[in-house]
Short mmCIF file of all heavy atoms in Angstrom, two decimals:
data_model
loop_
_atom_site.label_atom_id
_atom_site.label_comp_id
_atom_site.label_asym_id
_atom_site.label_seq_id
_atom_site.Cartn_x
_atom_site.Cartn_y
_atom_site.Cartn_z
N ARG A 38 15.81 7.18 -3.27
CA ARG A 38 15.62 5.76 -3.59
C ARG A 38 15.39 5.56 -5.09
O ARG A 38 15.96 4.65 -5.71
CB ARG A 38 14.44 5.24 -2.77
CG ARG A 38 14.08 3.79 -3.03
CD ARG A 38 13.19 3.22 -1.94
NE ARG A 38 12.13 4.10 -1.53
CZ ARG A 38 11.00 4.32 -2.23
NH1 ARG A 38 10.84 3.70 -3.40
NH2 ARG A 38 10.07 5.13 -1.77
N ILE A 39 14.55 6.42 -5.67
CA ILE A 39 14.29 6.32 -7.11
C ILE A 39 15.55 6.61 -7.90
O ILE A 39 15.88 5.92 -8.88
CB ILE A 39 13.17 7.29 -7.52
CG1 ILE A 39 11.83 6.89 -6.87
CG2 ILE A 39 13.03 7.37 -9.03
CD1 ILE A 39 11.30 5.56 -7.33
N ARG A 40 16.29 7.62 -7.48
CA ARG A 40 17.52 7.99 -8.18
C ARG A 40 18.52 6.83 -8.16
O ARG A 40 19.17 6.54 -9.17
CB ARG A 40 18.10 9.24 -7.52
CG ARG A 40 19.27 9.86 -8.26
CD ARG A 40 19.54 11.29 -7.81
NE ARG A 40 19.82 11.39 -6.39
CZ ARG A 40 19.03 11.98 -5.49
NH1 ARG A 40 17.87 12.49 -5.85
NH2 ARG A 40 19.38 12.04 -4.21
N ALA A 41 18.61 6.16 -7.03
CA ALA A 41 19.53 5.02 -6.91
C ALA A 41 19.12 3.90 -7.86
O ALA A 41 19.97 3.23 -8.46
CB ALA A 41 19.56 4.53 -5.47
N GLU A 42 17.83 3.69 -8.02
CA GLU A 42 17.35 2.65 -8.93
C GLU A 42 17.66 2.99 -10.38
O GLU A 42 18.08 2.13 -11.16
CB GLU A 42 15.84 2.44 -8.73
CG GLU A 42 15.22 1.36 -9.61
CD GLU A 42 15.78 -0.04 -9.37
OE1 GLU A 42 16.47 -0.26 -8.34
OE2 GLU A 42 15.52 -0.93 -10.21
N TRP A 43 17.45 4.24 -10.77
CA TRP A 43 17.81 4.66 -12.13
C TRP A 43 19.29 4.39 -12.40
O TRP A 43 19.64 3.88 -13.46
CB TRP A 43 17.55 6.17 -12.31
CG TRP A 43 16.11 6.55 -12.43
CD1 TRP A 43 15.09 5.79 -12.90
CD2 TRP A 43 15.54 7.82 -12.07
NE1 TRP A 43 13.90 6.51 -12.86
CE2 TRP A 43 14.16 7.75 -12.36
CE3 TRP A 43 16.06 9.00 -11.54
CZ2 TRP A 43 13.31 8.83 -12.13
CZ3 TRP A 43 15.21 10.07 -11.32
CH2 TRP A 43 13.85 9.98 -11.60
N GLU A 44 20.13 4.74 -11.43
CA GLU A 44 21.57 4.55 -11.61
C GLU A 44 21.94 3.07 -11.63
O GLU A 44 22.80 2.65 -12.41
CB GLU A 44 22.33 5.27 -10.50
CG GLU A 44 22.23 6.80 -10.59
CD GLU A 44 23.01 7.52 -9.50
OE1 GLU A 44 23.69 6.83 -8.71
OE2 GLU A 44 22.92 8.76 -9.42
N ARG A 45 21.24 2.27 -10.82
CA ARG A 45 21.56 0.84 -10.74
C ARG A 45 21.36 0.15 -12.08
O ARG A 45 22.15 -0.71 -12.48
CB ARG A 45 20.69 0.17 -9.67
CG ARG A 45 21.04 -1.29 -9.39
CD ARG A 45 20.06 -1.94 -8.44
NE ARG A 45 18.74 -2.11 -9.03
CZ ARG A 45 18.42 -3.12 -9.87
NH1 ARG A 45 19.34 -4.02 -10.21
NH2 ARG A 45 17.20 -3.22 -10.36
N VAL A 46 20.31 0.54 -12.80
CA VAL A 46 20.00 -0.14 -14.07
C VAL A 46 20.49 0.64 -15.29
O VAL A 46 20.17 0.27 -16.41
CB VAL A 46 18.48 -0.41 -14.19
CG1 VAL A 46 18.00 -1.27 -13.04
CG2 VAL A 46 17.69 0.90 -14.25
N ASP A 47 21.27 1.71 -15.06
CA ASP A 47 21.75 2.53 -16.18
C ASP A 47 20.60 2.98 -17.07
O ASP A 47 20.65 2.86 -18.31
CB ASP A 47 22.78 1.77 -17.03
CG ASP A 47 24.13 1.68 -16.36
OD1 ASP A 47 24.46 2.60 -15.57
OD2 ASP A 47 24.87 0.70 -16.61
N ALA A 48 19.57 3.51 -16.44
CA ALA A 48 18.35 3.86 -17.18
C ALA A 48 18.60 4.90 -18.27
O ALA A 48 17.88 4.94 -19.27
CB ALA A 48 17.29 4.37 -16.21
N PHE A 49 19.61 5.75 -18.08
CA PHE A 49 19.79 6.87 -19.00
C PHE A 49 20.99 6.68 -19.94
O PHE A 49 21.42 7.62 -20.59
CB PHE A 49 19.96 8.17 -18.20
CG PHE A 49 18.92 8.34 -17.12
CD1 PHE A 49 19.28 8.70 -15.83
CD2 PHE A 49 17.57 8.11 -17.38
CE1 PHE A 49 18.33 8.85 -14.83
CE2 PHE A 49 16.62 8.25 -16.41
CZ PHE A 49 16.99 8.62 -15.12
N LYS A 50 21.48 5.47 -19.99
CA LYS A 50 22.65 5.19 -20.84
C LYS A 50 22.25 5.23 -22.31
O LYS A 50 21.26 4.61 -22.72
CB LYS A 50 23.24 3.83 -20.48
CG LYS A 50 24.63 3.60 -21.06
CD LYS A 50 25.21 2.31 -20.50
CE LYS A 50 26.61 2.05 -21.04
NZ LYS A 50 27.56 3.09 -20.66
N ALA A 51 23.02 5.97 -23.09
CA ALA A 51 22.77 6.03 -24.53
C ALA A 51 23.24 4.74 -25.18
O ALA A 51 24.10 4.03 -24.65
CB ALA A 51 23.49 7.23 -25.13
N GLY A 52 22.68 4.45 -26.36
CA GLY A 52 23.12 3.27 -27.11
C GLY A 52 22.65 1.96 -26.52
O GLY A 52 23.33 0.94 -26.69
N ARG A 53 21.51 1.96 -25.83
CA ARG A 53 20.98 0.71 -25.27
C ARG A 53 20.74 -0.29 -26.40
O ARG A 53 20.29 0.09 -27.49
CB ARG A 53 19.68 0.98 -24.52
CG ARG A 53 19.81 1.97 -23.35
CD ARG A 53 18.47 2.23 -22.70
NE ARG A 53 17.98 1.04 -22.03
CZ ARG A 53 18.31 0.69 -20.80
NH1 ARG A 53 19.13 1.45 -20.09
NH2 ARG A 53 17.83 -0.41 -20.24
N PRO A 54 21.02 -1.57 -26.17
CA PRO A 54 20.90 -2.56 -27.25
C PRO A 54 19.53 -2.56 -27.93
O PRO A 54 19.45 -2.67 -29.16
CB PRO A 54 21.16 -3.90 -26.53
CG PRO A 54 21.98 -3.52 -25.33
CD PRO A 54 21.52 -2.17 -24.92
N GLU A 55 18.46 -2.42 -27.13
CA GLU A 55 17.12 -2.48 -27.72
C GLU A 55 16.80 -1.23 -28.55
O GLU A 55 15.80 -1.19 -29.26
CB GLU A 55 16.05 -2.67 -26.63
CG GLU A 55 15.83 -1.46 -25.72
CD GLU A 55 16.77 -1.40 -24.53
OE1 GLU A 55 17.79 -2.11 -24.53
OE2 GLU A 55 16.48 -0.62 -23.60
N ARG A 56 17.66 -0.20 -28.48
CA ARG A 56 17.42 1.02 -29.25
C ARG A 56 18.50 1.24 -30.30
O ARG A 56 18.71 2.36 -30.77
CB ARG A 56 17.32 2.23 -28.31
CG ARG A 56 16.21 2.06 -27.27
CD ARG A 56 15.84 3.34 -26.56
NE ARG A 56 14.79 3.07 -25.57
CZ ARG A 56 14.00 4.00 -25.05
NH1 ARG A 56 14.12 5.25 -25.43
NH2 ARG A 56 13.08 3.68 -24.16
N ARG A 57 19.14 0.16 -30.67
CA ARG A 57 20.24 0.25 -31.63
C ARG A 57 19.77 0.85 -32.95
O ARG A 57 20.50 1.59 -33.60
CB ARG A 57 20.86 -1.14 -31.86
CG ARG A 57 22.11 -1.13 -32.73
CD ARG A 57 22.74 -2.51 -32.85
NE ARG A 57 23.32 -2.96 -31.57
CZ ARG A 57 22.82 -3.95 -30.84
NH1 ARG A 57 21.73 -4.60 -31.26
NH2 ARG A 57 23.38 -4.30 -29.71
N ASN A 58 18.57 0.53 -33.35
CA ASN A 58 18.04 1.02 -34.62
C ASN A 58 17.10 2.20 -34.45
O ASN A 58 16.46 2.64 -35.41
CB ASN A 58 17.32 -0.11 -35.36
CG ASN A 58 18.27 -1.26 -35.70
OD1 ASN A 58 19.41 -1.03 -36.12
ND2 ASN A 58 17.81 -2.49 -35.51
N ALA A 59 17.01 2.71 -33.24
CA ALA A 59 16.11 3.84 -32.97
C ALA A 59 16.72 5.14 -33.48
O ALA A 59 17.93 5.25 -33.67
CB ALA A 59 15.83 3.93 -31.47
N GLN A 60 15.86 6.12 -33.66
CA GLN A 60 16.33 7.44 -34.07
C GLN A 60 17.13 8.08 -32.93
O GLN A 60 16.68 8.10 -31.79
CB GLN A 60 15.13 8.32 -34.41
CG GLN A 60 15.50 9.73 -34.88
CD GLN A 60 14.28 10.58 -35.16
OE1 GLN A 60 13.17 10.06 -35.28
NE2 GLN A 60 14.44 11.88 -35.23
N PRO A 61 18.33 8.60 -33.21
CA PRO A 61 19.11 9.23 -32.14
C PRO A 61 18.56 10.61 -31.78
O PRO A 61 17.98 11.30 -32.62
CB PRO A 61 20.51 9.35 -32.74
CG PRO A 61 20.29 9.39 -34.22
CD PRO A 61 19.07 8.56 -34.49
N TYR A 62 18.75 10.97 -30.52
CA TYR A 62 18.37 12.30 -30.04
C TYR A 62 19.44 12.72 -29.05
O TYR A 62 19.74 11.99 -28.10
CB TYR A 62 17.00 12.26 -29.36
CG TYR A 62 16.50 13.61 -28.90
CD1 TYR A 62 15.78 14.43 -29.75
CD2 TYR A 62 16.76 14.08 -27.61
CE1 TYR A 62 15.31 15.67 -29.34
CE2 TYR A 62 16.30 15.31 -27.18
CZ TYR A 62 15.58 16.11 -28.06
OH TYR A 62 15.11 17.33 -27.64
N CYS A 63 20.05 13.87 -29.29
CA CYS A 63 21.19 14.26 -28.46
C CYS A 63 21.11 15.71 -28.02
O CYS A 63 20.76 16.59 -28.81
CB CYS A 63 22.49 14.03 -29.24
SG CYS A 63 23.99 14.44 -28.30
N ILE A 64 21.39 15.93 -26.76
CA ILE A 64 21.56 17.28 -26.20
C ILE A 64 22.89 17.29 -25.45
O ILE A 64 23.18 16.36 -24.68
CB ILE A 64 20.43 17.65 -25.22
CG1 ILE A 64 19.08 17.71 -25.95
CG2 ILE A 64 20.72 18.98 -24.55
CD1 ILE A 64 17.92 18.08 -25.03
N VAL A 65 23.69 18.32 -25.68
CA VAL A 65 24.89 18.50 -24.86
C VAL A 65 24.57 19.52 -23.78
O VAL A 65 24.02 20.58 -24.06
CB VAL A 65 26.12 18.94 -25.68
CG1 VAL A 65 26.60 17.81 -26.57
CG2 VAL A 65 25.84 20.19 -26.51
N ILE A 66 24.86 19.18 -22.55
CA ILE A 66 24.59 20.06 -21.43
C ILE A 66 25.50 21.29 -21.51
O ILE A 66 26.68 21.16 -21.84
CB ILE A 66 24.81 19.31 -20.11
CG1 ILE A 66 24.16 20.03 -18.93
CG2 ILE A 66 26.29 19.09 -19.83
CD1 ILE A 66 24.19 19.20 -17.64
N PRO A 67 24.99 22.48 -21.31
CA PRO A 67 25.91 23.62 -21.15
C PRO A 67 26.78 23.35 -19.93
O PRO A 67 26.25 23.30 -18.80
CB PRO A 67 24.97 24.81 -20.93
CG PRO A 67 23.67 24.39 -21.54
CD PRO A 67 23.58 22.90 -21.29
N PRO A 68 28.07 23.10 -20.12
CA PRO A 68 28.87 22.61 -18.98
C PRO A 68 29.00 23.66 -17.88
O PRO A 68 29.55 24.74 -18.12
CB PRO A 68 30.24 22.31 -19.61
CG PRO A 68 30.28 23.17 -20.84
CD PRO A 68 28.88 23.27 -21.33
N PRO A 69 28.48 23.37 -16.69
CA PRO A 69 28.64 24.33 -15.59
C PRO A 69 30.09 24.38 -15.13
O PRO A 69 30.85 23.43 -15.34
CB PRO A 69 27.74 23.75 -14.50
CG PRO A 69 27.68 22.28 -14.78
CD PRO A 69 27.78 22.14 -16.27
N ASN A 70 30.45 25.49 -14.53
CA ASN A 70 31.81 25.61 -13.99
C ASN A 70 32.05 24.54 -12.94
O ASN A 70 31.19 24.27 -12.10
CB ASN A 70 32.02 26.99 -13.35
CG ASN A 70 32.21 28.06 -14.40
OD1 ASN A 70 32.30 27.79 -15.60
ND2 ASN A 70 32.26 29.31 -13.97
N VAL A 71 33.25 23.96 -12.97
CA VAL A 71 33.58 22.90 -12.02
C VAL A 71 33.57 23.44 -10.58
O VAL A 71 33.43 22.68 -9.63
CB VAL A 71 34.95 22.29 -12.39
CG1 VAL A 71 36.07 23.27 -12.11
CG2 VAL A 71 35.19 20.97 -11.69
N THR A 72 33.70 24.76 -10.44
CA THR A 72 33.67 25.39 -9.12
C THR A 72 32.25 25.70 -8.65
O THR A 72 32.06 26.14 -7.53
CB THR A 72 34.43 26.73 -9.15
OG1 THR A 72 33.84 27.56 -10.16
CG2 THR A 72 35.89 26.52 -9.46
N GLY A 73 31.26 25.47 -9.51
CA GLY A 73 29.93 26.01 -9.26
C GLY A 73 29.07 25.19 -8.31
O GLY A 73 29.35 24.03 -8.01
N SER A 74 28.01 25.85 -7.86
CA SER A 74 26.93 25.19 -7.13
C SER A 74 25.62 25.55 -7.83
O SER A 74 25.51 26.60 -8.46
CB SER A 74 26.88 25.68 -5.68
OG SER A 74 27.95 25.15 -4.94
N LEU A 75 24.66 24.67 -7.71
CA LEU A 75 23.40 24.82 -8.43
C LEU A 75 22.69 26.12 -8.03
O LEU A 75 22.44 26.36 -6.86
CB LEU A 75 22.50 23.62 -8.11
CG LEU A 75 21.28 23.44 -9.02
CD1 LEU A 75 21.71 22.98 -10.41
CD2 LEU A 75 20.32 22.42 -8.42
#
Side-chain angles (χ1 to χ4, degrees):
R38 178 164 44 76
I39 294 295
R40 189 163 58 248
E42 180 62 14
W43 286 332
E44 291 181 4
R45 186 186 69 80
V46 301
D47 284 331
F49 312 132
K50 194 172 181 62
R53 300 177 67 85
E55 70 274 15
R56 302 195 181 199
R57 186 176 292 111
N58 298 318
Q60 181 182 345
Y62 183 88
C63 181
I64 296 180
V65 290
I66 197 172
N70 284 353
V71 71
T72 57
S74 287
L75 194 71

